[in-house]
Amino acid sequence: MSGASRLNRFDNDSRFNASNRNVRNDNALHGIAHKNAETSILMESSSWNRRDLWQELCSYENLELAFKKARKHKTLKPYVIEFEKNLKDNLHMLRTELLLHCYRPKPLETFIIRDPKTRKISKSDFRDRIIHHALCNIIEPIFEKTFIYDSYANRKGKGTLKALQRFDQFKRKISKNNTRSCYALKADVRKYFDNMHHETLIETIQKNIKDRRILRLIRIILSNHKTKKAGCGMPLGNLTSQFFANVYLSELDHFVKRKLRISHYIRYVDDFVILDNNKGILLKYKEKINEFLNIIKLELHPDKSKIRLLNKGITFLGFRIFNCHKLLKKNNIANMKRRVLNFKALFDNGLADYNGIYSSMEGWLAYAINAHTYALRKRFVGIFESIFQGNVADAEIARWMKAES
């Protein structure tokens, strides 16, 4: 049986989570100078404020880990190969620039994608992506403790599928297993990534990070994205943008939970949904949430923030969700058709390895199984199998060896 054909075996037990890109680093990291002393201090530390976060960020060990994360699924990219030729020297150079406070990111590379919505994606240079990972390695675990349970984007153990499962749980509870009317306030923030206010973000970060050197680095990363609206906006495509997006709207999360005391609330980046039996209550929530967003320099999207009866269906995370079933959005299906057809070209030209392609396909199947898509998934697997017959992914080998042991 070919590697691709094993995709037929994917079911609800698939362990893929598209948002599990963030691997928590619980190991104490240390600098090159005073190595033993710093290690001792970190091991004895029992609180964040006793740690020298800047030295941890700048340590060779942290930069090496950051390189490995930035390289993931990109091992065949020319810029990765070039950087890795002199890995130690390149990482030491980055470390020196950070310690001497002379690090400056290179200009972003910008391109347009249509999926089918037109988006401007700005990509950082590879060495700058290493810095982004190095930063997130250190500060993300600190903020993770402050996030609410029902924030699902770009967090380990969360993701789209977990958010959909939570939605189903809330839906059953509010509707008493579909015996009562259930309303949903489905909303998103208007031009969220373009309108995130840098100083408001820094103020939020300062509640947990006091180190001025780290705050300075964050300001440098933010200012590298040039926008028409000065002091606002973050580029789509950066790891730091995804992380900062969660930090920024964690303020909304705590307002919803602590001030409005809303139980049935789910957020994924700037999309969120609230379920309730009472439409009038949801209208009040919507007004108060918009007032709060204005305080943090944002606003609800006027056309995409609506209250609907669930039996008429709402759109959330790529699905059309009804009382008793889900359907994939048509553009979601069209996008995947294009991706499957592009996989072969990427593979043949050395722009993607089979492990990454297989993981992407596995993830989409695990996602699509949450809707009525049996025939659709079977068709996509057939196409994929015919294209990549004879290839086997590392994940398949690992699962086979585990099953045989």
Side-chain angles (χ1 to χ4, degrees):
M1 180 182 293
S2 72
S5 66
R6 295 180 186 272
L7 289 166
N8 284 300
R9 298 185 177 186
F10 292 164
D11 52 28
N12 283 316
D13 293 327
S14 175
R15 288 159 293 190
F16 179 91
N17 185 333
S19 292
N20 281 356
R21 61 178 71 93
N22 302 318
V23 180
R24 178 170 177 164
N25 174 30
D26 289 324
N27 295 323
L29 300 174
H30 43 83
I32 298 301
H34 313 299
K35 188 172 183 179
N36 293 332
E38 290 179 7
T39 302
S40 177
I41 291 171
L42 291 177
M43 289 177 66
E44 294 173 3
S45 175
S46 60
S47 62
W48 295 112
N49 58 9
R50 290 176 59 187
R51 293 168 53 183
D52 189 337
L53 298 179
W54 180 249
Q55 286 298 322
E56 293 184 42
L57 190 154
C58 297
S59 72
Y60 183 87
E61 291 86 348
N62 185 41
L63 291 171
E64 186 176 39
L65 174 63
F67 162 74
K68 290 176 181 178
K69 291 183 178 182
R71 179 187 62 179
K72 190 174 182 181
H73 299 319
K74 300 177 180 68
T75 55
L76 300 179
K77 295 282 189 179
Y79 57 79
V80 175
I81 295 172
E82 184 64 27
F83 191 94
E84 199 166 7
K85 284 180 181 178
N86 299 295
L87 180 60
K88 288 187 177 181
D89 289 344
N90 287 330
L91 292 181
H92 277 301
M93 179 59 71
L94 280 176
R95 171 173 158 75
T96 300
E97 290 179 23
L98 289 171
L99 290 172
L100 294 179
H101 302 291
C102 62
Y103 164 74
R104 294 294 182 273
K106 294 184 178 181
L108 298 169
E109 179 186 346
T110 300
F111 54 95
I112 303 297
I113 64 169
R114 294 175 176 83
D115 60 344
K117 183 178 179 180
T118 300
R119 297 177 186 272
K120 184 170 77 170
I121 306 296
S122 297
K123 184 174 68 173
S124 293
D125 187 80
F126 182 66
R127 73 193 303 270
D128 297 322
R129 280 179 260 167
I130 294 173
I131 297 295
H132 298 170
H133 278 280
L135 172 65
C136 289
N137 285 346
I138 302 305
I139 69 173
E140 185 176 19
I142 298 173
F143 282 95
E144 178 62 29
K145 294 184 177 182
T146 71
F147 294 153
I148 67 167
Y149 181 86
D150 287 315
S151 169
Y152 286 89
N154 306 307
R155 294 175 64 194
K156 185 178 180 181
K158 299 292 183 175
T160 304
L161 303 186
K162 293 288 186 181
L164 291 168
Q165 290 168 9
R166 188 67 159 169
F167 184 97
D168 288 341
Q169 179 185 343
F170 285 166
K171 179 187 68 174
R172 288 192 298 269
K173 185 175 180 180
I174 292 293
S175 68
K176 302 292 184 183
N177 288 324
N178 298 322
T179 62
R180 296 177 61 186
S181 295
C182 180
Y183 290 90
L185 165 58
K186 167 59 178 64
D188 69 17
V189 177
R190 182 175 179 272
K191 295 185 177 179
Y192 180 45
F193 279 84
D194 289 337
N195 290 322
M196 275 188 282
H197 189 254
H198 293 176
E199 286 306 313
T200 302
L201 173 62
I202 293 292
E203 289 173 9
T204 302
I205 292 173
Q206 281 178 321
K207 294 176 183 179
N208 292 285
I209 303 295
K210 307 299 182 183
D211 194 313
R212 293 182 180 180
R213 297 164 295 182
I214 290 181
L215 295 172
R216 179 179 180 273
L217 176 61
I218 292 171
R219 290 182 188 275
I220 289 172
I221 292 171
L222 291 173
S223 65
N224 194 42
H225 181 53
K226 308 302 180 185
T227 61
K228 295 179 181 178
K229 193 174 179 181
C232 291
M234 291 193 296
L236 290 171
N238 276 1
L239 173 70
T240 47
S241 298
Q242 299 163 12
F243 172 65
F244 292 150
N246 265 352
V247 173
Y248 201 108
L249 279 185
S250 66
E251 296 291 286
L252 171 63
D253 296 339
H254 290 293
F255 173 75
V256 166
K257 290 294 186 179
R258 295 178 182 178
K259 298 295 184 181
L260 301 183
R261 297 187 178 277
I262 299 172
S263 298
H264 305 106
Y265 163 86
I266 298 169
R267 180 174 67 83
Y268 192 96
V269 193
D270 62 320
D271 286 352
F272 66 88
V273 63
I274 302 172
L275 300 178
D276 202 281
N277 299 121
N278 191 316
K279 184 178 180 180
I281 289 177
L282 290 177
L283 284 168
K284 291 180 180 178
Y285 287 159
K286 180 181 176 183
E287 181 180 347
K288 290 183 180 296
I289 287 171
N290 204 36
E291 289 173 358
F292 177 81
L293 287 175
N294 289 338
I295 295 174
I296 60 173
K297 318 297 184 184
L298 299 171
E299 64 176 333
L300 290 177
H301 195 295
D303 300 325
K304 297 180 180 179
S305 303
K306 297 179 180 180
I307 299 169
R308 293 176 60 89
L309 269 171
L310 196 56
N311 62 12
K312 293 185 178 179
I314 66 163
T315 301
F316 187 50
L317 301 181
F319 290 88
R320 286 285 294 164
I321 304 176
F322 299 86
N323 273 347
C324 301
H325 68 284
K326 301 185 191 76
L327 300 174
L328 278 179
K329 290 175 62 179
K330 291 182 179 179
N331 67 326
N332 190 310
I333 298 172
N335 290 343
M336 193 57 196
K337 286 180 179 177
R338 284 194 294 270
R339 288 180 67 191
V340 169
L341 295 176
N342 287 335
F343 281 153
K344 178 63 173 174
L346 293 172
F347 184 74
D348 288 345
N349 288 286
L351 299 176
D353 61 18
Y354 183 67
N355 286 327
I357 291 172
Y358 182 89
S359 178
S360 180
M361 187 66 184
E362 181 183 15
W364 187 84
L365 292 169
Y367 167 77
I369 202 170
N370 288 272
H372 290 71
T373 57
Y374 177 80
L376 177 68
R377 286 182 283 120
K378 186 176 181 180
R379 185 166 74 250
F380 278 176
V381 166
I383 296 171
F384 188 88
E385 186 178 60
S386 65
I387 292 174
F388 291 102
Q389 188 172 11
N391 289 280
V392 180
D394 291 347
E396 292 179 277
I397 296 173
R399 283 198 291 266
W400 179 81
M401 292 179 67
K402 185 177 180 179
E404 291 294 313
S405 62

